[in-house]
């Protein structure tokens, strides 16, 4: 599977995640909802890993930095889940909340890549980044 196909699957699954998160918001405690989401996510991920290990020849390579960064990333996903559910429980529309969060992630992720990881930028990249910031502004001030 190439990276574009993988990206399309990721977009589809995250979009469905957003939709079901909106459905759950206000119908379950934010913290409990996030716990259920992340426990379920763990079960799916470990099941997928074990399947690939048994039948796909995937090796369980682990390094100490990989383990530490994975744990920190898990903490961030847990916290993000809590706040995302809370955002929707506060009554934010899916059509406003998702773009606000996702475009905000693009902007912040781009800054991390450029400033912390020293990834290169081009003129087209800067134009896209500027349009993302402008789009985020339009979405956040839409109401």
């Amino acid at each position: 599977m190439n990276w574009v196909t993988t990206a399309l699957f990721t977009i589809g699954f995250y979009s469905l995640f957003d939709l079901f998160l909106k459905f759950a918001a206000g119908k379950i405690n934010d913290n409990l909802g996030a716990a259920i989401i992340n426990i379920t996510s763990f079960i799916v991920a470990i099941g997928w890993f074990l399947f690939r290990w048994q039948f796909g020849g995937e090796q369980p390579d682990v390094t100490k930095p990989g383990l530490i960064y994975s744990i920190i990333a898990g903490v961030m996903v847990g916290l993000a889940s809590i706040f995302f559910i809370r955002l929707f429980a506060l009554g934010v529309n899916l059509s406003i909340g998702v773009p606000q969060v996702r475009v905000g992630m693009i902007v912040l992720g781009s800054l991390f890549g450029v400033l912390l990881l020293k990834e290169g930028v081009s003129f087209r990249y800067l134009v896209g980044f500027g349009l993302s910031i402008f789009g985020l502004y339009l979405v956040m001030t839409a109401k």
Side-chain angles (χ1 to χ4, degrees):
M1 185 180 313
N2 65 32
W3 77 268
V4 173
T5 304
T6 303
L8 291 173
F9 274 109
T10 304
I11 291 165
F13 289 133
Y14 268 121
S15 296
L16 289 169
F17 165 75
D18 296 339
L19 178 65
F20 286 103
L21 198 67
K22 175 65 175 173
F23 288 160
K27 296 175 184 71
I28 192 168
N29 174 277
D30 305 340
N31 302 316
L32 178 59
I36 291 169
I37 289 166
N38 287 286
I39 289 167
T40 305
S41 175
F42 169 77
I43 293 167
V44 170
I46 199 72
W48 181 256
F49 168 74
L50 292 172
F51 177 81
R52 294 286 309 260
W53 185 24
Q54 282 301 126
F55 302 107
E58 190 167 296
Q59 296 301 310
D61 298 330
V62 179
T63 64
K64 186 175 180 180
L67 185 61
I68 291 168
Y69 292 140
S70 294
I71 290 169
I72 294 169
V75 169
M76 296 304 117
V77 166
L79 291 170
S81 297
I82 292 167
F83 283 94
F84 214 6
I85 292 172
R86 187 73 194 137
L87 176 76
F88 290 131
L90 291 171
V92 173
N93 291 339
L94 184 72
S95 60
I96 299 294
V98 169
Q100 179 181 352
V101 170
R102 300 297 184 204
V103 175
M105 289 168 58
I106 291 167
V107 170
L108 195 54
S110 294
L111 289 172
F112 287 161
V114 171
L115 299 176
L116 296 177
L117 302 177
K118 307 296 185 207
E119 296 173 352
V121 296
S122 65
F123 177 73
R124 283 178 57 154
Y125 178 90
L126 291 174
V127 170
F129 185 77
L131 289 172
S132 294
I133 291 174
F134 182 63
L136 182 59
Y137 167 77
L138 291 176
V139 168
M140 292 178 73
T141 59
K143 288 228 167 191

